[in-house]
Amino acid sequence: GQAKGTYLDEAKAFGLKPDLILEFADYRTIIADTKYKMVYADGADAKNGISQTDLYQMVGYAIRFGITDIKLLYPNTCKGENCSELKTITIIDELAQQQAITIKAHQLPIMDQSISIENLHKIKLSDCFKDLKDKLKARLQEILFPFQTKI
């Protein structure tokens, strides 16, 4: 469900509220945070467009909530780049008692790349959205349950 807010500081001036804290029956807990900017796979950029600010925010969540499995979720790009997993960042910190914090960045199929101005009159948008919804559900299944076989 949606995360209840906690604070970074004792004076409670700086709130921390991840988008989602997901608790699973197998006792895994994941923080999932959605971002609305574009990221990309680029061999020349070791960060893949992931901002340092986002990374600091995720480390703050991990330490404060005691959850070391973090998923950063970004929209796919208009260019058709569909990267299953953009980047895995592992951080080991003394404040986290030397536990590895794993931050994985993923793209989600949010934009239908088959829709264009040229073909807008030929397609039924409701069909496009159903297809996109199915792709999004499948992608989330892959991200949240990577070891589960598909039925």
Side-chain angles (χ1 to χ4, degrees):
Q2 190 166 14
K4 291 181 181 167
T6 191
Y7 295 89
L8 188 60
D9 64 322
E10 295 304 310
K12 297 187 177 181
F14 297 93
L16 286 177
K17 191 173 182 186
D19 292 332
L20 294 168
I21 294 181
L22 305 171
E23 296 176 351
F24 296 98
D26 61 2
Y27 303 103
R28 287 182 307 134
T29 304
I30 294 173
I31 290 176
D33 211 61
T34 54
K35 302 298 178 186
Y36 300 98
K37 58 188 165 217
M38 297 297 177
V39 291
Y40 46 84
D42 182 354
D45 178 9
K47 295 179 183 177
N48 294 112
I50 297 166
S51 77
Q52 201 152 331
T53 305
D54 287 347
L55 196 58
Y56 289 156
Q57 182 185 26
M58 295 310 110
V59 171
Y61 288 165
I63 292 171
R64 202 62 163 150
F65 287 90
I67 299 170
T68 58
D69 192 355
I70 313 287
K71 308 289 185 195
L72 272 170
L73 306 174
Y74 295 94
N76 59 336
T77 66
C78 309
K79 294 180 184 177
E81 294 172 343
N82 285 311
C83 308
S84 57
E85 185 180 303
L86 289 166
K87 187 130 190 95
T88 298
I89 301 158
T90 303
I91 296 165
I92 298 176
D93 191 271
E94 288 177 22
L95 288 176
Q97 287 80 45
Q98 299 298 321
Q99 264 193 306
I101 298 166
T102 305
I103 301 168
K104 290 187 179 181
H106 303 271
Q107 282 184 321
L108 297 178
I110 303 295
M111 293 186 283
D112 189 333
Q113 296 150 345
S114 68
I115 299 173
S116 67
I117 297 296
E118 294 80 27
N119 72 358
L120 201 53
H121 66 286
K122 299 177 196 172
I123 58 176
K124 189 174 176 185
L125 285 178
S126 60
D127 291 342
C128 294
F129 288 119
K130 185 197 177 315
D131 186 44
L132 202 54
K133 177 183 163 189
D134 292 342
K135 286 179 183 174
L136 181 57
K137 282 171 68 175
R139 184 73 191 105
L140 287 170
Q141 178 80 21
E142 289 170 9
I143 292 168
L144 299 176
F145 304 101
F147 305 112
Q148 196 174 75
T149 54
K150 292 183 181 170
I151 300 169

